[in-house]
Amino acid sequence: MKASEKYRMVFGEIKDLAEAVPWTTGVSNMLEWLTWSTGHVLGTTKTRYRKAIVEWARLAESEALDLEATQKYVDAKLNDAMRESDKVHRYDKPTSKIASPREALRRAKYFSEDYLNKEFDIFWGLVSDAYLDEFYSQFTTVQKGGRWYTHGNSGLFANSVNIREMQMDNLAYNPSSKLLVANELKLGEKRTRTNSSSTP
């Protein structure tokens, strides 16, 4: 069985763009991002993390230790590594070293466009149809009063449409206006007004 089939068996699938997806799906998309991209939790790749632990356990000063003492030694080395990577200012440049939970959150919140995308998915799932009418009316003609359906770039979407590389951060679809909008967010950018032939 293919991975995409397993995914659909467990989480279901989107069969139509005009299908309501609850805002809570945006929360699970954020969790999905964290569980698949564990570097955002660990501060480094899983491979580097595993290699560091094995290296610490095999260092000359730990070779003669029993299992419990080795575990304490590795714990101390891990705590040292997290302290070294900790930053105290919001926009200090992150390193690729092992991160404490606070440092991992700082990196995700202030340096990750993907994190911003997931926050946006949740927000766009919560706003009213009238809000989206007004927002998109700045850029193009919208037949107001219709229903909007939003979809984040997630495993649910990718496995439903069998497209792995999406070129959007979020989709908003209004069937009564026959309008499909691909939203693209950029970390640190200002919202700009574009003409109706462009994507907002």
Coordinates of all heavy atoms in Angstrom, one line a residue, residues 30 33 40 106-121 153 166-170 183-189:
M30 N -0.2 22.1 11.5 CA 1.0 22.6 12.2 C 1.7 21.5 12.9 O 2.9 21.4 12.9 CB 0.6 23.7 13.2 CG 1.8 24.4 13.9 SD 1.4 25.8 14.9 CE 1.2 27.1 13.6
W33 N 3.5 19.4 10.4 CA 4.7 20.1 10.0 C 5.8 19.8 11.0 O 7.0 19.5 10.7 CB 4.5 21.6 9.9 CG 5.7 22.4 9.7 CD1 6.5 22.5 8.6 CD2 6.2 23.4 10.6 NE1 7.5 23.4 8.8 CE2 7.3 24.0 10.0 CE3 5.8 23.9 11.8 CZ2 8.1 25.0 10.6 CZ3 6.5 24.9 12.4 CH2 7.6 25.4 11.8
H40 N 12.7 21.4 13.3 CA 12.1 22.6 14.0 C 11.9 22.4 15.5 O 11.7 23.3 16.3 CB 10.7 22.9 13.4 CG 10.8 23.3 11.9 ND1 11.5 24.4 11.5 CD2 10.4 22.7 10.8 CE1 11.5 24.5 10.2 NE2 10.8 23.4 9.7
R106 N 11.4 30.0 19.3 CA 11.8 31.3 18.8 C 12.2 31.2 17.3 O 11.8 32.0 16.5 CB 13.1 31.7 19.6 CG 13.6 33.2 19.2 CD 14.9 33.5 19.9 NE 16.0 32.7 19.3 CZ 16.7 33.2 18.2 NH1 16.4 34.4 17.7 NH2 17.6 32.5 17.7
R107 N 12.9 30.1 17.0 CA 13.3 29.9 15.6 C 12.1 29.7 14.7 O 12.0 30.3 13.6 CB 14.2 28.7 15.4 CG 15.6 28.9 16.1 CD 16.4 27.6 16.0 NE 17.5 27.6 16.8 CZ 18.4 26.6 16.9 NH1 18.3 25.6 16.1 NH2 19.4 26.7 17.7
A108 N 11.1 28.9 15.1 CA 9.9 28.7 14.3 C 9.1 30.0 14.2 O 8.7 30.3 13.1 CB 9.1 27.6 14.9
K109 N 8.9 30.7 15.3 CA 8.0 31.8 15.3 C 8.6 33.0 14.5 O 7.8 33.7 13.8 CB 7.7 32.2 16.7 CG 6.6 33.2 16.8 CD 6.1 33.3 18.3 CE 5.0 34.4 18.5 NZ 3.8 34.0 17.8
Y110 N 9.9 33.2 14.6 CA 10.4 34.4 14.0 C 11.3 34.2 12.7 O 11.7 35.1 12.1 CB 11.2 35.2 15.0 CG 10.4 35.6 16.2 CD1 10.5 35.1 17.4 CD2 9.4 36.6 16.0 CE1 9.7 35.4 18.5 CE2 8.5 36.9 17.1 CZ 8.7 36.3 18.3 OH 7.9 36.7 19.3
F111 N 11.6 32.9 12.4 CA 12.4 32.7 11.3 C 11.9 31.7 10.3 O 12.5 31.3 9.3 CB 13.8 32.2 11.7 CG 14.6 33.2 12.4 CD1 14.5 33.4 13.8 CD2 15.4 34.1 11.7 CE1 15.3 34.4 14.4 CE2 16.2 35.1 12.3 CZ 16.1 35.3 13.7
S112 N 10.7 31.2 10.5 CA 10.1 30.2 9.6 C 8.9 30.6 8.9 O 7.9 30.9 9.5 CB 9.8 28.9 10.4 OG 9.1 28.0 9.5
E113 N 9.0 30.7 7.6 CA 7.8 31.0 6.7 C 6.7 29.9 6.8 O 5.6 30.2 6.8 CB 8.3 31.2 5.3 CG 7.4 32.1 4.5 CD 8.0 32.5 3.2 OE1 9.1 33.2 3.1 OE2 7.5 32.0 2.1
D114 N 7.2 28.7 7.0 CA 6.2 27.5 7.1 C 5.4 27.7 8.3 O 4.2 27.4 8.3 CB 7.0 26.2 7.2 CG 7.5 25.7 5.8 OD1 6.8 26.1 4.8 OD2 8.5 25.0 5.8
Y115 N 6.0 28.2 9.4 CA 5.2 28.4 10.7 C 4.1 29.5 10.4 O 3.0 29.3 10.8 CB 6.2 28.8 11.8 CG 5.5 29.0 13.1 CD1 5.4 28.0 14.0 CD2 5.0 30.3 13.5 CE1 4.8 28.1 15.3 CE2 4.4 30.5 14.8 CZ 4.3 29.4 15.6 OH 3.7 29.6 16.9
L116 N 4.5 30.6 9.7 CA 3.6 31.6 9.4 C 2.5 31.1 8.5 O 1.3 31.4 8.7 CB 4.3 32.7 8.6 CG 3.5 33.8 8.0 CD1 2.8 34.7 9.0 CD2 4.3 34.7 7.0
N117 N 2.8 30.2 7.6 CA 1.8 29.6 6.7 C 0.7 28.8 7.5 O -0.5 28.9 7.2 CB 2.4 28.7 5.7 CG 3.3 29.4 4.7 OD1 3.1 30.6 4.5 ND2 4.1 28.7 4.0
K118 N 1.2 28.1 8.5 CA 0.3 27.3 9.3 C -0.6 28.2 10.2 O -1.8 27.9 10.4 CB 1.0 26.3 10.2 CG 1.9 25.3 9.4 CD 1.2 24.7 8.3 CE 2.1 23.8 7.5 NZ 1.6 23.5 6.2
E119 N 0.0 29.3 10.7 CA -0.9 30.2 11.5 C -1.9 30.8 10.6 O -3.1 31.0 11.0 CB 0.0 31.4 12.1 CG 0.9 31.0 13.2 CD 1.6 32.2 13.9 OE1 2.0 33.1 13.1 OE2 1.7 32.2 15.1
F120 N -1.5 31.2 9.3 CA -2.4 31.7 8.4 C -3.6 30.8 8.0 O -4.7 31.2 7.9 CB -1.7 32.1 7.1 CG -2.5 32.8 6.1 CD1 -2.9 34.1 6.2 CD2 -3.0 32.1 5.0 CE1 -3.6 34.7 5.2 CE2 -3.8 32.7 4.0 CZ -4.1 34.0 4.1
D121 N -3.2 29.5 7.9 CA -4.3 28.5 7.6 C -5.3 28.5 8.7 O -6.5 28.4 8.4 CB -3.7 27.0 7.6 CG -2.8 26.8 6.4 OD1 -2.8 27.6 5.4 OD2 -2.1 25.8 6.3
N153 N -1.7 24.2 2.5 CA -0.8 23.3 1.8 C -0.3 22.3 2.9 O 0.6 22.5 3.7 CB 0.4 24.1 1.3 CG 1.4 23.2 0.5 OD1 1.1 22.0 0.3 ND2 2.4 23.8 -0.1
M166 N 3.5 21.8 -4.2 CA 2.5 22.9 -4.4 C 3.2 24.2 -4.5 O 4.2 24.5 -3.8 CB 1.5 22.9 -3.2 CG 0.7 21.6 -3.1 SD -0.2 21.2 -4.5 CE -1.4 22.6 -4.6
Q167 N 2.7 25.1 -5.3 CA 3.3 26.4 -5.5 C 2.4 27.5 -4.8 O 2.2 28.6 -5.4 CB 3.5 26.7 -7.0 CG 4.4 25.8 -7.6 CD 5.8 25.7 -7.0 OE1 6.4 26.7 -6.7 NE2 6.4 24.5 -6.8
M168 N 1.8 27.2 -3.7 CA 1.0 28.1 -3.0 C 1.1 27.8 -1.5 O 1.5 26.7 -1.1 CB -0.5 28.0 -3.4 CG -1.1 26.6 -3.3 SD -1.7 26.2 -1.7 CE -2.4 24.6 -1.9
D169 N 0.7 28.7 -0.7 CA 0.7 28.5 0.8 C -0.7 28.1 1.2 O -0.8 27.4 2.2 CB 1.2 29.7 1.5 CG 2.7 30.0 1.2 OD1 3.4 29.1 1.0 OD2 3.1 31.2 1.3
N170 N -1.7 28.6 0.6 CA -3.1 28.4 1.0 C -4.0 28.7 -0.2 O -3.7 29.6 -1.0 CB -3.4 29.4 2.1 CG -4.8 29.3 2.6 OD1 -5.7 29.7 2.0 ND2 -5.0 28.6 3.8
N183 N -3.0 31.9 -2.2 CA -2.4 32.9 -1.3 C -0.9 32.5 -1.1 O -0.6 31.3 -0.8 CB -3.1 32.9 0.0 CG -4.5 33.3 -0.1 OD1 -4.8 34.4 -0.4 ND2 -5.4 32.3 0.1
E184 N -0.1 33.5 -1.2 CA 1.4 33.3 -1.0 C 1.8 34.2 0.1 O 1.6 35.5 0.0 CB 2.1 33.5 -2.3 CG 3.6 33.3 -2.2 CD 4.1 31.8 -2.0 OE1 3.3 30.9 -2.4 OE2 5.1 31.6 -1.4
L185 N 2.4 33.7 1.2 CA 2.8 34.6 2.3 C 4.4 34.6 2.3 O 5.0 33.6 2.0 CB 2.3 34.1 3.6 CG 0.9 34.4 3.9 CD1 0.0 33.3 3.3 CD2 0.6 34.4 5.4
K186 N 4.9 35.8 2.7 CA 6.3 36.0 2.8 C 6.6 36.5 4.2 O 6.1 37.5 4.6 CB 6.9 36.9 1.7 CG 6.8 36.3 0.3 CD 7.7 35.1 0.2 CE 7.4 34.4 -1.2 NZ 7.9 33.0 -1.2
L187 N 7.5 35.9 4.9 CA 7.9 36.3 6.2 C 8.5 37.7 6.2 O 9.5 37.9 5.4 CB 8.9 35.3 6.8 CG 9.1 35.4 8.3 CD1 7.8 35.1 9.1 CD2 10.2 34.4 8.8
G188 N 8.0 38.6 7.0 CA 8.6 40.0 7.0 C 8.2 40.9 5.9 O 8.7 42.0 5.9
E189 N 7.3 40.5 5.0 CA 6.9 41.4 3.9 C 5.7 42.1 4.3 O 4.8 41.7 5.1 CB 6.6 40.5 2.7 CG 7.9 39.9 2.1 CD 8.8 41.0 1.5 OE1 8.4 41.9 0.8 OE2 10.0 40.8 1.8

